[in-house]
Amino acid sequence: MEYIDIVTKEGKPTGKSELKSIIHQKGYYHHTAHLWLYNDEGEILLSQRSAKKTICPLMWDVSVAGHIDAGETPMQGIIRETQEEIGLKISEIELKKIGVFECFQSYKNGIIDNEFHNTFIAKLNVPLSQLVPQESEVEALKLVTFKDFETLINTIENNDNHFVPSNKSYYQFVLNQIKNSCNLY
């Protein structure tokens, strides 16, 4: 059973934790971790969410994402999630935190998801073929060029299977941070 720390609407610890299912049922605020991986060829790794997911099944989105377990730091959470979801071992030194982003959404299935995305970027130093998707979380993986990523952002309202439309500014920020890390400005 997955326990997650509950935070205030400002993202501060409350000292309480609860089951993930209860957190989504009651709409408690909580932290997640996101990792956007990019390579030297100017590509960003996208993960397709598993068909089994209750939120946005089969949507293409962030390279790795997951809930931060009770007692974990965002850094520990993303290192664990990266190993679990795509079989990639990554260290703290490889991760660059680019911010914490509010994402408060309710879904038709009754889930109230009030998350703070602790967002990291890192260079992907292995070929796509070496990554191992976790079947329960990840349907498929693909690399898209920075240009294609930007096109997906700019046409987000028409892309029913890429990205969450309400998060458009978040994706643009991520792309800019990755370009800055690659010195592409």
Side-chain angles (χ1 to χ4, degrees):
M1 293 204 238
E2 196 173 356
Y3 277 87
I4 297 168
D5 289 329
I6 298 170
V7 298
T8 66
K9 64 180 179 186
E10 294 79 30
K12 305 287 183 225
T14 63
K16 298 176 183 166
S17 60
E18 188 54 85
L19 285 170
K20 181 171 133 180
S21 57
I22 302 294
I23 283 182
H24 285 158
Q25 179 187 349
K26 301 218 180 257
Y28 293 138
Y29 295 94
H30 60 285
H31 283 279
T32 62
H34 281 198
L35 173 60
W36 293 89
L37 292 161
Y38 61 92
N39 64 23
D40 286 329
E41 287 76 51
E43 298 170 316
I44 298 173
L45 179 70
L46 297 184
S47 286
Q48 185 179 35
R49 293 171 61 83
S50 168
K52 301 174 180 111
K53 298 295 280 181
T54 54
I55 299 174
C56 302
L58 298 177
M59 178 177 279
W60 289 94
D61 207 337
V62 60
S63 311
V64 176
H67 287 83
I68 298 169
D69 288 346
E72 259 184 340
T73 66
M75 185 82 68
Q76 291 167 333
I78 202 57
I79 289 170
R80 177 186 48 75
E81 288 287 347
T82 303
Q83 174 75 45
E84 288 173 5
E85 288 192 6
I86 62 173
L88 180 68
K89 286 186 176 160
I90 198 158
S91 66
E92 287 189 21
I93 201 165
E94 296 173 84
L95 296 167
K96 178 183 175 188
K97 189 166 187 177
I98 60 170
V100 180
F101 304 89
E102 293 179 1
C103 185
F104 306 151
Q105 297 187 333
S106 295
Y107 297 92
K108 291 177 185 159
N109 61 7
I111 289 176
I112 306 162
D113 208 8
N114 292 321
E115 296 183 343
F116 291 93
H117 299 321
N118 293 263
T119 305
F120 299 86
I121 59 174
K123 191 176 280 188
L124 179 63
N125 294 314
V126 300
L128 190 61
S129 60
Q130 285 188 22
L131 301 177
V132 182
Q134 181 184 17
E135 200 177 297
S136 61
E137 296 287 333
V138 180
E139 201 72 25
L141 297 166
K142 70 177 176 181
L143 291 164
V144 297
T145 65
F146 292 174
K147 187 175 186 318
D148 287 344
F149 191 90
E150 191 145 32
T151 299
L152 288 168
I153 296 168
N154 292 334
T155 59
I156 202 164
E157 291 81 13
N158 305 322
N159 283 326
D160 58 349
N161 70 335
H162 283 82
F163 305 142
V164 178
S166 59
N167 294 355
K168 186 174 184 174
S169 61
Y170 165 71
Y171 299 116
Q172 188 63 58
F173 180 82
V174 167
L175 179 60
N176 291 340
Q177 291 294 307
I178 289 172
K179 284 181 173 180
N180 283 341
S181 289
C182 297
N183 299 316
L184 291 178
Y185 278 113

